[in-house]
Amino acid sequence: QVQLVESGGGLVQAGGSLRLSCTANKSIESINFMGWYRQIPGEQRELVAVTVRSGESNIRDPVKGRFTISRDNAKNTVYLQMNSLKPEDTAVYYCVADWPYFPTYWGQGSQVTVSS
């Protein structure tokens, strides 16, 4: 019954920005972790950014300095702010979340396309 609903994907020119949202129907204050993966065409799915229960976060090197992960606990929502987008950021972005005693859940995926 846990659902993660994503929004905010789309088409943007290189150098532009998008913000992805992921809203859960369960409190995110108790998560083990929550974050974003992406799948670039022809490549394996890779971790982009993650936040844990303590509030600590990690941004992976390919997007460090350009992407930021944040969350609004009152809205049960995690965001991925994507700035200075590059064509190589084009991918399907997936929200992921894990709670104690629950399986890991995935969002439906959001297409982000960056034109050159």
Side-chain angles (χ1 to χ4, degrees):
Q1 294 297 312
V2 176
Q3 291 184 311
L4 305 176
V5 179
E6 301 179 29
S7 63
L11 175 65
V12 66
Q13 290 185 317
S17 298
L18 287 172
R19 189 178 74 162
L20 302 181
S21 299
C22 177
T23 299
N25 64 352
K26 177 179 174 66
S27 173
I28 67 170
E29 294 191 60
S30 61
I31 55 167
N32 292 325
F33 62 85
M34 194 167 182
W36 298 88
Y37 279 72
R38 69 183 182 186
Q39 189 156 19
I40 296 170
E43 299 184 9
Q44 297 184 74
R45 191 173 297 186
E46 65 178 9
L47 180 65
V48 176
V50 64
T51 185
V52 298
R53 192 183 301 169
S54 67
E56 295 180 25
S57 63
N58 182 266
I59 310 296
R60 306 303 285 176
D61 285 343
V63 302
K64 188 171 292 184
R66 299 187 296 118
F67 291 13
T68 301
I69 188 169
S70 62
R71 67 189 188 187
D72 186 336
N73 288 337
K75 296 181 179 179
N76 292 328
T77 298
V78 169
Y79 304 96
L80 185 68
Q81 179 67 47
M82 303 182 291
N83 297 327
S84 301
L85 282 160
K86 303 175 181 179
E88 52 262 46
D89 295 318
T90 294
V92 178
Y93 286 73
Y94 295 92
C95 180
V96 63
D98 187 84
W99 289 265
Y101 311 109
F102 284 80
T104 300
Y105 289 90
W106 293 86
Q108 78 275 16
S110 300
Q111 178 68 52
V112 172
T113 302
V114 184
S115 62
S116 58

